[in-house]
Amino acid sequence: MVRLNRAQQQERNRAKVLAAAREEFAEHGFRGTGVDRIAARAELTRGAVYSNFPGKRALYFAALAQAAEEAPPGKVGVTTVERALGDFARSWVARLPIGGDERAGADVMAEITADARVSATFARLTMLESVLLGMALEHLAPGGRRVRVAQSVLTTLHGAGRLAAAAPGFTDPFTVIRACEHLAGLDLEDAWPLPHIAHVPPARAANEPWAAPAGFDLLTRESVTVDAGIVVVLGPHRLEALEEALRSAPEGVPVTLVPVTDDPGELLPLIRLVVAELRCHLSRAFPARSWPRARIVLEPGVAAAAGVVDPGAETESALSLEGGRIVARAEGRGAGHAVAAFAADVVRAGGAIEG
């Protein structure tokens, strides 16, 4: 029998804990499941559970994220904004507890709202969803910013979810779908740039080596090498700032978001969960060519390579990569815009930013 090293043993134990947790949560719900039961089912000690996950809520988020990541994606051809929103809503409401038997949605929202820090992160994640959904709508029908329309759609869907959990049988999913379709034509006087963009200081030129770390893109579910384009490292309270880099970067230049936090045990699984569910809904409503060009990578090695080793809630750092080197840097509010604008200036001046 091959003897496992310490890292391999820990990875195997983590997988056993996660598998046992998924079964327990599916059978008994969040409140009916205890850490001791998970440990017994995994044939491990309570300490082994806590050595891999800081608590039951973190384990719950991780279990739900893994299940969402395993959901088969859809495949969409030519579509319209109205139809895309209807299909997005249809995918979303399919998970609602219409008959009152499915409690996962209610349980996860209860755990999110029970902790102010988790709730604040979820708010910014929902803003990030709005950015990605809104920009997908814009790619289908160019002609203005649609992030506020996306916010209205998500408000409708989350509201329907809360009502379906609190008042089973009240929510009519077909009415929710139709309402989201009609939101496509809503004029919310959305515009870009936002006012603060005019006050962002410029990025500074740099000439530093870049090790091109590998990562895993949560949106495409593919391994990627972060070796070109714009890299934006954002704390949980600044995730929606990805939009600033996406809108300012030159056409064809990849933009990589690296979320960071000082509480990775609980908040990174939540980020994985939200992105996995968004990916599933987008794949069933939008052709892949209309998705925003963002990559979302959680590996801490990418953030460390960018120089972020002690992240906080408001962390915002960005860099531009070209030819295996860092050619521009910026920190603070608006960093993603500053670095992307730097890259755009290089292209306009006749230079080349690799894509």
Side-chain angles (χ1 to χ4, degrees), residues 53 57 98 126 130 160 173 226 286 303 349:
F53 298 92
R57 182 168 56 209
I98 301 301
T126 308
S130 299
V226 186
F286 293 84

Side-chain angles (χ1 to χ4, degrees), residues 73-76 79 84-85 87-89 91-92 128-137 219 274-288 290-292 296:
K75 188 174 182 180
V76 180
T79 190
L85 283 181
D87 288 340
F88 185 91
S91 175
W92 208 97
L128 175 62
E129 286 186 279
S130 299
V131 168
L132 296 174
L133 174 58
M135 295 188 79
L137 292 171
L219 281 176
V274 171
V275 174
E277 290 185 342
L278 175 66
R279 170 185 175 269
C280 182
H281 303 324
L282 284 175
S283 74
R284 296 171 183 174
F286 293 84
S290 71
W291 289 30
I296 303 179

Side-chain angles (χ1 to χ4, degrees), residues 40-352:
R41 191 161 196 156
E43 299 181 335
L44 295 168
T45 66
R46 181 184 178 92
V49 174
Y50 282 116
S51 69
N52 286 280
F53 298 92
K56 188 172 78 164
R57 182 168 56 209
L59 184 48
Y60 189 47
F61 290 159
L64 292 175
Q66 187 181 69
E69 289 166 350
E70 293 172 357
K75 188 174 182 180
V76 180
V78 177
T79 190
T80 64
V81 170
E82 292 79 4
R83 182 174 176 181
L85 283 181
D87 288 340
F88 185 91
R90 187 173 291 106
S91 175
W92 208 97
V93 300
R95 65 182 188 173
L96 293 184
I98 301 301
D101 296 327
E102 173 56 58
R103 297 294 303 171
D107 284 347
V108 73
M109 289 308 301
E111 287 309 302
I112 286 171
T113 56
D115 186 297
R117 191 178 196 197
V118 175
S119 183
T121 298
F122 184 73
R124 309 329 291 184
L125 280 167
T126 308
M127 286 295 299
L128 175 62
E129 286 186 279
S130 299
V131 168
L132 296 174
L133 174 58
M135 295 188 79
L137 292 171
E138 293 166 27
H139 289 160
L140 283 183
R145 187 173 186 254
R146 290 181 178 262
V147 173
R148 288 184 182 173
V149 168
Q151 290 172 342
S152 298
V153 170
L154 292 174
T155 298
T156 300
L157 293 173
H158 280 286
R162 297 299 293 271
L163 256 183
F170 174 81
T171 301
D172 177 8
F174 301 105
T175 300
V176 173
I177 292 167
R178 289 291 292 155
C180 289
E181 288 176 338
H182 285 296
L183 288 172
L186 199 61
D187 182 6
L188 295 175
E189 300 181 353
D190 204 352
W192 186 267
L194 300 179
H196 74 274
I197 293 295
H199 305 285
V200 173
R204 63 185 184 278
N207 184 14
E208 308 168 31
W210 175 254
F216 187 79
D217 181 8
L218 297 183
L219 281 176
T220 63
R221 305 295 303 157
E222 296 176 352
S223 296
V224 295
T225 301
V226 186
D227 57 359
I230 310 301
V231 177
V232 188
V233 183
L234 298 173
H237 290 185
R238 291 295 299 145
L239 293 173
E240 72 272 21
L242 173 66
E243 180 180 11
E244 300 173 12
L246 286 171
R247 293 198 186 276
S248 302
E251 187 68 29
V253 172
V255 177
T256 302
L257 165 62
V258 186
V260 291
T261 172
D262 59 358
D263 185 13
E266 187 158 85
L267 297 185
L268 291 189
L270 177 61
I271 293 172
R272 279 181 53 209
L273 171 59
V274 171
V275 174
E277 290 185 342
L278 175 66
R279 170 185 175 269
C280 182
H281 303 324
L282 284 175
S283 74
R284 296 171 183 174
F286 293 84
R289 66 179 179 276
S290 71
W291 289 30
R293 51 182 161 151
R295 304 185 296 191
I296 303 179
V297 173
L298 288 182
E299 277 75 7
V302 181
V308 179
V309 294
D310 187 21
E314 303 288 340
T315 291
E316 191 163 353
S317 181
L319 48 86
S320 178
L321 305 175
E322 182 179 2
R325 303 192 71 78
I326 301 170
V327 297
R329 281 188 177 275
E331 291 83 29
R333 187 172 177 84
H337 163 75
V339 164
F342 180 98
D345 288 342
V346 170
V347 170
R348 282 193 291 269

